[in-house]
Amino acid sequence: MNRREFFAGLGAVAWPLAARAQQPGMPVIGFLNSGSPDGFYASMVAAFRQGLKETGYVEGQNVAIEYRWAEGQYDRVPAMAAELVD
């Protein structure tokens, strides 16, 4: 194998990796609640997901949802909001 063949082969391997890296990522929704995911809020989350589905967004397929639950610890909310923004 000569130098030209080597670099041509290397370009063929690198091209799909570069193309994949340039594709836009999946949109992410940040969901922050002061309660817990159990009980009362479970039905609200289900309704939220259903509303997204009705507009064409399905969690895990074309949208990601990052959930944060403070579970009644209100002092955690600002840090959790900052975490979601990051």
Side-chain angles (χ1 to χ4, degrees):
M1 175 183 288
N2 65 30
R3 194 173 177 172
R4 179 175 288 166
E5 290 171 340
F6 174 77
F7 283 114
L10 184 62
V13 171
W15 175 255
L17 296 175
R20 194 174 326 143
Q22 293 175 358
Q23 294 176 359
M26 186 181 303
V28 179
I29 297 172
F31 185 97
L32 176 61
N33 193 291
S34 61
S36 69
D38 303 324
F40 175 74
Y41 291 110
S43 63
M44 293 182 130
V45 170
F48 177 67
R49 287 181 178 142
Q50 181 61 34
L52 285 173
K53 186 176 181 180
E54 290 172 4
T55 59
Y57 292 99
V58 179
E59 184 177 9
Q61 291 182 6
N62 58 2
V63 69
I65 305 174
E66 289 289 327
Y67 297 92
R68 299 296 183 274
W69 299 93
E71 299 185 7
Q73 298 178 17
Y74 300 104
D75 58 322
R76 294 177 54 198
V77 172
M80 294 169 74
E83 180 185 327
L84 282 172
V85 170
D86 285 339

